Amino acid sequence: MKADTPTGPLGGHLDDDDYPAYTMGRAAALLGTTQGFLRAIGEARLITPLRSEGGHRRYSRYQLRIAARARELVDQGTPIESACRIVILEDQLEEAQRLNAEYRAAAASEPPPAE
């Protein structure tokens, strides 16, 4: 049975990919990397963690997926700055392809112009 009003420390955010639920230490552990790596990709502006009231960095699941992709590239020998740029470009390409597909679907569903 699903509760109508979620309770607990995360409230209704358990399914929210953008909710900053992970501390820096937990995020680093999940990624199998160091906190320094997370700081470095933040400095490279790949991800911008939110800050808790106490000023601690907090990461979302979406940010962890982005960080994991950057780590894959770094593990393959790509410099961190280049890895971050590649991930940013991959993300932009994916978004452009998604929008293109939406525009094509909308154009296909429009009736032909009357002559």
Side-chain angles (χ1 to χ4, degrees):
M1 183 166 100
K2 188 174 179 181
D4 291 334
T5 307
T7 59
L10 295 179
H13 301 289
L14 289 174
D15 293 330
D16 186 351
D17 267 359
D18 296 318
Y19 184 74
Y22 301 94
T23 63
M24 177 179 269
R26 182 71 178 136
L30 287 170
L31 294 171
T33 189
T34 64
Q35 293 181 14
F37 175 79
L38 291 173
R39 285 187 200 94
I41 63 174
E43 290 170 9
R45 298 181 187 209
L46 177 61
I47 58 175
T48 304
L50 293 174
R51 298 283 182 150
S52 68
E53 290 180 18
H56 300 283
R57 290 174 179 90
R58 306 284 292 192
Y59 298 89
S60 68
R61 286 190 302 208
Y62 173 75
Q63 290 172 322
L64 294 184
R65 283 195 301 274
I66 296 292
R69 176 65 181 131
R71 179 167 185 246
E72 287 175 14
L73 292 168
V74 169
D75 287 349
Q76 295 171 5
T78 306
I80 196 163
E81 298 82 14
S82 299
C84 290
R85 185 66 181 140
I86 289 167
V87 173
I88 289 167
L89 290 171
E90 287 175 341
D91 199 45
Q92 289 173 346
L93 176 60
E94 184 180 319
E95 178 66 9
Q97 289 173 331
R98 185 190 62 76
L99 288 172
N100 193 12
E102 286 179 13
Y103 293 146
R104 286 178 189 226
S109 67
E110 289 179 7
E115 293 183 21

